[in-house]
Amino acid sequence: MMSQGRARIWEGSGRQMQWLILAYLLLLALPCTGFLPNFWSRVLTLSWDSHTHQYITEQAILNVTLETLRGTKKHQGNHAGEQTDGLGRGFWRAVGEVVKSNAAMDFLSSTRSDPVYHFDSERVDSAMVMLRQFWAQTLLSVRAKEYQSARHSLGQLFHSLQDFYSHSNWVEMGQRFIYLHLLQPDEPAVPVAEEDTPTCMECFSTTCRDNLLPRLTNTQQDTQLLTTGYFSTFPPKPRGKCSHGGILDSSRYMGAKGGINKDSTSPLFSPHHYLHMEAATLATEATLSVLRDLRDSVGHKSFLRLFSVKQVPALVFVMDTTGSMFEEITAARLRAHSILQNRACTPGQPGTFVLVPFHDPGVGPVYETDDPDQFMQRMENLMALGGGDEPEMCLSAIQLALTHSPPLSEIFVFTDASPKDAHLFDAVKALALEKQSKVTFLLTEDPNYTAASRAKRRRRSRRRRSREPLSPDRFSLYSSLSSLSGGLTIFTTNSDIDRVSSIVEDNTAADKVTLLHVESDRELMSSHSFGVDHSLKNVTLHVTGILTECILTSPSDQSQSLLSEQGPLAEVERFEGLCRISLLSPIQPGQWKLQAKSDGNLTFNVIGDSSVDFLYYFATVTTETHPGLARVEGSPVAGVPAFLVLAVTGLASDEEASFSHVTLLGANGESLQQVKLNSSSFPSSPSLLYSVEELVGWVDSVPRASFCIQLTGRDSKGNKLERVSTEMVQPTHVQIQVLTVPRLVPGHSTMVDFDILNHGPARLFNLTADDDRGYLLKRGPHRFHVAEQGSFRGQVDLHTPATAQTGATVTLTLTVRALDFPDSNYAVAYLTVIPPDPDVSPPSCSAARVQSTCPSICSESSWSVSLVVSDRGRSGLAALQLQKGEGILNLFLSPPPTEDSLGEAQHDTDEQQAHRDKTASRGHHQQQQHHHHHHHKARLEKGEPPLNVSEWVPDPSQPLWVRYTSSCCSAQAELLVWDTAGNMKRCHLTSGQHRQLRDKSKDTSGAGQITLTGVSFLLLPVLWSSLL
């Protein structure tokens, strides 16, 4: 939530909007299939204090992320206070992707009415199978570094898992802990009521108390039965069964009348509304447990990368490597070296590095790494060789770069050739918009093909005997792509490319925000303005094109001509094709003006350093699903109303700021429409140390012209605060929706269903499909006719080769385009390759012996426990790690002798400390250290990385013998065991009263702590239901 100082709830026109929507609610007839999806559901159901899927998911992700950061800092010896406003814009976008996938389960036609996705209609067994598939898919994707695919499956998992506690009688049975069996087959299961077993009694009021039959509320474990409510008419509800209930469930009129859902605190929608908080608490605990298991399975580093925590911008180069590109490759190499040197001096993760070389006709291979040294070595190995005809496979290379780079990246393309693969433009455009990534071109070829450029071309391809005339607009696709993605197209020369490439450093620094991004094609003087607030530093202006006149004016009306390099306001660097202007410190807050004139096209881009930025999406109130705002996929529909939802990120916890409106800006910076904003927070929402403010605006009619979004507000000192999201929104009259995202199995074919929705007159459309791995059987174009205001359902077919790598993601892009009108739209889906017969059995821990002689003074004695660790599946043991505990874990290839056991129990403190000083060297070196004692023994302590079993034992399918020894002052420990399929087991060790091993564990399905007592939650603001 916002701090109280910023919580401005429904003022002015916002109140009118609220009443309009509430009136509209009375006309809705929407199915209700889970916890409410997002913040807007609270308005629509009049339940301001309900916990939504969005709130539960965001709260859990934030808590485990901060918990992971604290653990990382402690391990690194950093005990500085926790900074709660530095997770980064990328983090909130990643969280938004999980929330979007979660909410989509209530909105997509393929999932919203399927009881298996929502634990409805007593389909508990099928829902558990699906949950475990989601978990396995998430784990596969994270290990393959396919983070977007992982976030999608994780959101699906969370939705169904959270629904269980709202739709079942688990809470009514008096359960106060999560149901481990949902994701852990070896945990005790509660039987599900048979189809002919009545579960509910009649209820004739909106609030249903005690309407479950006695056995369904029994607290005795051996006699308990599970049930979940039936919803609507499918599947048919047997007589005597419980309904989901609420005013939107038609099955509530069938016996037994009433319902049991706990989705909200509103009795109109939830008959068991009085148990909503209990259900939400368990759902939150289950979500937390999944996240902790995921973190412990993939490691802290991969977990933080999954959520883009404190990630600096990716460095992505698309390099033309033909013979004429020596100077460009050298410039990119030097610029990369400078960036890596600067990042090495700053704390935080170095980021992602992607390199995609291309020439004619080859493209790739893609090189992706998070190791700056390895990336630099690849850059050093690039060579300018060969070449051919002028067009090259540039768009294919950009497509690969977009596929392999994280969202919110900026891709820099170095080339001097036009694209040979123009047919890929729509697919590349779709990926750029979906990922909100910018594409900037640094072109060392004049579009008018001058004498100088002809000389360069002769050096490039001396073998050609004749030359076909080249079109002066052959680079127009590059200009279009950079314009719509918010990047730049810079035409420069070989002699200036080194200095022009400074834009790479400018744009990839951390916390860069955009203050102005406009294009001008007028020969008359154009005038633009941008606001500087107190949070901004290092403001830089980039102007592409040829300036004939340019004047910069400060808020105090002091002016400087930018045609001169020196002046009182800014330092100016002029290169061929680019003018770089740096405002001099101290930068005066307020409104700055820029007036310019040129002989041709100009693009103005103003950026600065600030953590304050925003994310956004368009949404509509759904009329077919759970009450809430359904995110608009692709481009919004022109000429119709829509909601605009924004999340302002990066505000410090003590920073005061207010945001009044957004302006929809045309390509030339003109104002198309102003949209007033209201906060989505409510008085009952708990406040947070985190400042992420969610705002909602009502767009009366989405403009037909393309536009970008400018957010306007005021900082704490009253200065105008402006931010621009530079990608161009392209409204349209056609939509495309992917209905199913199936899993891919090697050696099998798969169908992906989609809908085309025509919001215009009857007409013909072309559909083009593309994927990054070549699995599509037919790319198209597919031509079909769609009636006025009609729809068309189709499918595309993919075949996954038998050699496909499990965990890999296939990025599928669908683009629809009208034949007689400039209407187009896109959809992007991420499909994961899964093994045909996965090993889902986790390892096991079996107690062998416990020795404990702990007196009242704990420091005077020790305890030990021996156990056997083995893999129950067919994969074999992979790794072990001591997660908790202050003692030492010894591993043996065969049962240790009793005397050795006794000896180990008497390790003195000095020997333990000496071992701690040597923990950096393990494996074979460690074996050599202990060869004189036990050649078959290895040791583990808390804080050490996992021990790779394959490097230590000849046969990982054989069991290991483990002995843990600790001072009686540390009475508990936890051992993590993995098999090679990724299944994880938690083995809890204790010196407790009963002298026994407690094997409460997690496996690949693994979601849940055994007992989550005293969980401390940082209360997360209700952010947003989905971010692009």
Side-chain angles (χ1 to χ4, degrees):
M1 303 309 138
M2 299 179 299
S3 65
Q4 288 298 106
R6 282 201 308 277
R8 298 178 299 116
I9 316 302
W10 299 108
E11 297 176 359
S13 62
R15 292 187 180 275
Q16 299 173 11
M17 188 196 311
Q18 180 186 15
W19 288 111
L20 286 173
I21 294 170
L22 295 182
Y24 175 67
L25 172 66
L26 300 177
L27 303 177
L28 293 177
L30 314 178
C32 189
T33 55
F35 280 111
L36 302 176
N38 50 45
F39 70 92
W40 205 251
S41 309
R42 300 176 175 185
V43 179
L44 297 177
T45 59
L46 309 179
S47 54
W48 320 116
D49 54 349
S50 294
H51 284 204
T52 63
H53 280 295
Q54 174 185 343
Y55 180 83
I56 293 169
T57 301
E58 289 170 343
Q59 176 177 263
I61 292 174
L62 177 60
N63 275 277
V64 177
T65 298
L66 296 179
E67 179 184 290
T68 304
L69 287 173
R70 286 194 295 268
T72 303
K73 289 180 180 180
K74 183 177 180 181
H75 180 64
Q76 295 174 346
N78 184 354
H79 301 287
E82 180 182 298
Q83 174 137 7
T84 60
D85 54 1
L87 294 179
R89 182 171 177 242
F91 170 78
W92 297 112
R93 190 191 191 281
V95 172
E97 287 182 15
V98 179
V99 172
K100 177 184 82 171
S101 175
N102 187 325
M105 301 280 274
D106 280 334
F107 298 145
L108 289 176
S109 60
S110 57
T111 58
R112 65 192 178 211
S113 300
D114 189 334
V116 174
Y117 288 98
H118 307 283
F119 275 95
D120 286 335
S121 307
E122 297 185 324
R123 300 299 194 265
V124 176
D125 291 338
S126 299
M128 284 192 294
V129 170
M130 187 198 61
L131 275 184
R132 294 163 191 171
Q133 290 175 345
F134 286 146
W135 169 259
Q137 182 176 335
T138 301
L139 204 58
L140 274 173
S141 295
V142 175
R143 289 202 165 112
K145 298 183 178 180
E146 300 284 3
Y147 298 120
Q148 280 195 280
S149 179
R151 290 190 287 265
H152 177 77
S153 56
L154 189 62
Q156 292 177 307
L157 186 159
F158 285 160
H159 186 99
S160 298
L161 181 67
Q162 291 159 6
D163 272 358
F164 170 80
Y165 297 98
S166 174
H167 294 180
S168 73
N169 63 322
W170 185 257
V171 172
E172 286 84 348
M173 286 192 295
Q175 301 284 0
R176 292 298 175 262
F177 306 119
I178 62 176
Y179 187 26
L180 294 176
H181 183 69
L182 289 178
L183 285 163
Q184 301 171 45
D186 56 339
E187 289 294 331
V190 178
V192 181
E194 298 289 340
E195 186 174 352
D196 58 354
T197 301
T199 55
C200 265
M201 297 178 286
E202 301 282 356
C203 171
F204 300 100
S205 63
T206 55
T207 298
C208 293
R209 296 184 185 273
D210 303 323
N211 61 325
L212 282 159
L213 291 174
R215 188 177 179 187
L216 279 301
T217 58
N218 199 331
T219 58
Q220 299 298 319
Q221 292 187 0
D222 55 345
T223 60
Q224 289 179 330
L225 273 183
L226 264 181
T227 188
T228 64
Y230 283 73
F231 180 80
S232 190
T233 58
F234 180 81
K237 171 185 162 183
R239 185 163 187 82
K241 289 292 186 182
C242 300
S243 286
H244 179 87
I247 63 173
L248 306 179
D249 176 18
S250 60
S251 77
R252 74 186 190 278
Y253 296 116
M254 304 167 58
K257 296 181 177 63
I260 62 170
N261 92 71
K262 297 162 282 293
D263 291 344
S264 72
T265 57
S266 168
L268 292 175
F269 292 87
S270 300
H272 283 200
H273 59 91
Y274 51 91
L275 294 174
H276 169 78
M277 290 304 176
E278 287 85 345
T281 297
L282 288 176
T284 303
E285 291 178 355
T287 306
L288 283 164
S289 189
V290 168
L291 289 165
R292 290 185 178 119
D293 278 348
L294 182 60
R295 176 194 62 197
D296 293 339
S297 293
V298 303
H300 287 207
K301 181 179 178 181
S302 292
F303 181 83
L304 295 176
R305 288 184 69 89
L306 171 64
F307 292 109
S308 299
V309 177
K310 299 187 177 183
Q311 287 289 313
V312 296
L315 184 59
V316 187
F317 284 158
V318 175
M319 297 297 306
D320 183 342
T321 58
T322 49
S324 59
M325 293 294 294
F326 175 80
E327 292 89 348
E328 293 86 339
I329 292 174
T330 301
R333 187 182 293 142
L334 293 174
R335 199 57 62 184
H337 185 264
S338 176
I339 291 171
L340 297 184
Q341 279 190 322
N342 291 335
R343 291 188 180 182
C345 300
T346 58
Q349 303 189 46
T352 298
F353 305 94
V354 179
L355 174 63
V356 187
F358 72 96
H359 53 281
D360 187 11
V363 178
V366 180
Y367 183 70
E368 180 183 358
T369 183
D370 56 5
D371 187 322
D373 294 331
Q374 291 183 11
F375 178 75
M376 202 61 231
Q377 185 61 50
R378 286 295 178 121
M379 291 294 297
E380 295 290 348
N381 293 339
L382 284 180
M383 297 183 68
L385 295 172
D389 292 340
E390 197 272 349
E392 290 170 2
M393 306 293 284
C394 184
L395 292 181
S396 298
I398 298 172
Q399 182 184 32
L400 287 176
L402 285 164
T403 301
H404 287 267
S405 59
L408 304 176
S409 296
E410 183 155 2
I411 290 129
F412 296 94
V413 184
F414 292 78
T415 186
D416 60 0
S418 59
K420 179 181 288 187
D421 43 6
H423 64 280
L424 288 177
F425 179 78
D426 283 341
V428 171
K429 166 187 165 183
L431 285 171
L433 293 176
E434 195 275 335
K435 286 197 164 187
Q436 290 181 288
S437 291
K438 303 175 184 178
V439 184
T440 288
F441 293 87
L442 292 89
L443 302 175
T444 48
E445 175 67 285
D446 191 308
N448 295 317
Y449 202 57
T450 63
S453 65
R454 283 199 299 272
K456 182 180 178 182
R457 280 292 161 195
R458 283 196 294 272
R459 294 198 305 272
R460 175 191 178 123
S461 181
R462 297 179 182 275
R463 294 175 297 173
R464 291 193 298 179
R465 297 181 179 178
S466 63
R467 182 184 302 278
E468 296 181 2
L470 299 176
S471 169
D473 65 349
R474 63 191 182 279
F475 297 111
S476 61
L477 290 182
Y478 295 163
S479 298
S480 296
L481 184 58
S482 65
S483 177
L484 66 90
S485 68
L488 298 171
T489 296
I490 305 169
F491 292 98
T492 188
T493 62
N494 283 352
S495 59
D496 272 358
I497 184 62
D498 180 43
R499 293 184 295 169
V500 167
S501 65
S502 63
I503 193 172
V504 178
E505 286 193 67
D506 291 341
N507 290 10
T508 57
D511 291 329
K512 284 295 180 184
V513 298
T514 303
L515 311 179
L516 176 70
H517 187 88
V518 297
E519 297 177 358
S520 175
D521 55 5
R522 295 171 293 182
E523 294 185 5
L524 299 175
M525 183 74 77
S526 61
S527 180
H528 308 284
S529 66
F530 59 92
V532 174
D533 57 86
H534 276 90
S535 72
L536 281 165
K537 299 178 181 178
N538 301 325
V539 177
T540 305
L541 292 75
H542 295 130
V543 184
T544 66
I546 302 174
L547 287 169
T548 59
E549 187 175 353
C550 190
I551 299 173
L552 178 68
T553 305
S554 72
S556 60
D557 286 333
Q558 190 174 15
S559 296
Q560 175 183 337
S561 171
L562 298 182
L563 298 184
S564 61
E565 295 184 0
Q566 298 297 327
L569 302 179
E571 178 184 345
V572 182
E573 299 173 273
R574 294 173 58 83
F575 318 124
E576 183 70 27
L578 177 69
C579 184
R580 181 177 183 269
I581 303 133
S582 303
L583 298 191
L584 298 176
S585 296
I587 302 174
Q588 184 179 350
Q591 206 69 11
W592 290 69
K593 295 179 182 178
L594 192 63
Q595 294 173 290
K597 186 177 180 180
S598 76
D599 290 334
N601 293 337
L602 290 176
T603 302
F604 301 92
N605 192 63
V606 183
I607 58 176
D609 294 354
S610 172
S611 62
V612 181
D613 209 341
F614 73 99
L615 297 158
Y616 73 93
Y617 65 93
F618 286 90
T620 58
V621 176
T622 177
T623 58
E624 298 181 15
T625 63
H626 195 17
L629 286 185
R631 177 188 172 278
V632 173
E633 297 291 340
S635 299
V637 178
V640 300
F643 285 95
L644 180 58
V645 184
L646 298 92
V648 181
T649 64
L651 286 170
S653 57
D654 57 350
E655 187 174 353
E656 295 288 330
S658 61
F659 300 92
S660 55
H661 64 276
V662 298
T663 306
L664 310 185
L665 298 175
N668 294 323
E670 72 277 18
S671 175
L672 301 179
Q673 190 176 149
Q674 193 174 98
V675 180
K676 293 184 178 181
L677 297 174
N678 293 277
S679 171
S680 69
S681 304
F682 294 96
S684 60
S685 301
S687 62
L688 226 211
L689 294 178
Y690 257 80
S691 282
V692 180
E693 184 170 359
E694 190 166 61
L695 306 165
V696 184
W698 173 254
V699 183
D700 296 320
S701 178
V702 175
R704 183 66 184 92
S706 299
F707 59 87
C708 65
I709 295 173
Q710 180 187 59
L711 173 66
T712 301
R714 297 281 177 182
D715 65 16
S716 58
K717 298 185 179 180
N719 295 302
K720 182 178 286 188
L721 194 158
E722 291 180 339
R723 298 291 185 269
V724 173
S725 186
T726 54
E727 68 274 3
M728 298 299 290
V729 178
Q730 297 185 305
T732 182
H733 290 98
V734 62
Q735 289 180 288
I736 181 168
Q737 298 175 348
V738 175
L739 303 178
T740 58
V741 184
R743 301 172 183 88
L744 304 180
V745 180
H748 291 73
S749 295
T750 308
M751 294 183 300
V752 177
D753 297 320
F754 63 87
D755 271 348
I756 304 293
L757 308 176
N758 179 20
H759 297 275
R763 48 192 169 160
L764 288 172
F765 289 92
N766 270 351
L767 177 93
T768 303
D770 202 272
D771 76 290
D772 62 325
R773 296 185 183 266
Y775 292 179
L776 275 166
L777 297 179
K778 185 178 180 183
R779 298 176 182 273
H782 309 270
R783 182 170 296 185
F784 47 86
H785 183 272
V786 184
E788 180 178 359
Q789 303 298 320
S791 64
F792 172 85
R793 178 161 295 184
Q795 62 188 36
V796 293
D797 301 312
L798 302 93
H799 181 77
T800 308
T803 56
Q805 182 180 0
T806 58
T809 293
V810 176
T811 303
L812 174 66
T813 306
L814 302 177
T815 305
V816 61
R817 182 176 293 277
L819 297 186
D820 60 345
F821 199 76
D823 269 334
S824 66
N825 215 329
Y826 64 90
V828 179
Y830 301 95
L831 314 177
T832 302
V833 180
I834 64 169
D837 184 23
D839 174 10
V840 296
S841 299
S844 67
C845 302
S846 303
R849 180 173 58 252
V850 176
Q851 290 181 246
S852 179
T853 55
C854 290
S856 57
I857 302 177
C858 65
S859 59
E860 295 180 355
S861 190
S862 63
W863 64 278
S864 67
V865 58
S866 299
L867 58 148
V868 179
V869 177
S870 61
D871 183 31
R872 295 183 302 180
R874 57 184 180 276
S875 302
L877 295 173
L880 297 92
Q881 183 179 34
L882 186 63
Q883 179 79 350
K884 299 176 182 177
E886 302 301 323
I888 293 179
L889 193 76
N890 289 279
L891 293 91
F892 304 87
L893 298 181
S894 58
T898 304
E899 63 272 16
D900 186 67
S901 172
L902 295 173
E904 290 293 338
Q906 303 300 318
H907 272 299
D908 60 34
T909 305
D910 293 338
E911 183 178 345
Q912 292 188 22
Q913 183 61 45
H915 173 71
R916 290 190 185 97
D917 295 337
K918 299 176 182 179
T919 56
S921 59
R922 292 193 291 116
H924 295 296
H925 179 60
Q926 189 179 58
Q927 294 177 39
Q928 294 171 5
Q929 282 183 314
H930 299 289
H931 182 77
H932 67 280
H933 186 48
H934 283 296
H935 71 278
H936 54 270
K937 183 172 70 175
R939 285 185 175 184
L940 283 173
E941 292 187 53
K942 186 182 71 172
E944 293 182 352
L947 172 69
N948 189 332
V949 173
S950 64
E951 294 180 357
W952 182 67
V953 301
D955 184 3
S957 64
Q958 297 301 311
L960 294 178
W961 280 261
V962 176
R963 180 184 298 108
Y964 177 76
T965 304
S966 174
S967 162
C968 287
C969 297
S970 177
Q972 294 185 348
E974 184 178 80
L975 172 67
L976 304 184
V977 185
W978 293 271
D979 65 16
T980 57
N983 302 306
M984 183 180 75
K985 189 82 169 180
R986 288 187 190 271
C987 304
H988 289 256
L989 316 177
T990 181
S991 66
Q993 242 180 343
H994 300 292
R995 311 283 198 270
Q996 64 182 0
L997 171 71
R998 295 190 305 175
D999 182 11
K1000 305 279 189 180
S1001 61
K1002 311 288 181 295
D1003 53 28
T1004 43
S1005 12
Q1009 294 290 353
I1010 305 110
T1011 306
L1012 290 177
T1013 58
V1015 177
S1016 175
F1017 298 119
L1018 285 175
L1019 298 174
L1020 183 69
V1022 176
L1023 270 179
W1024 41 354
S1025 91
S1026 62
L1027 306 175
L1028 186 54

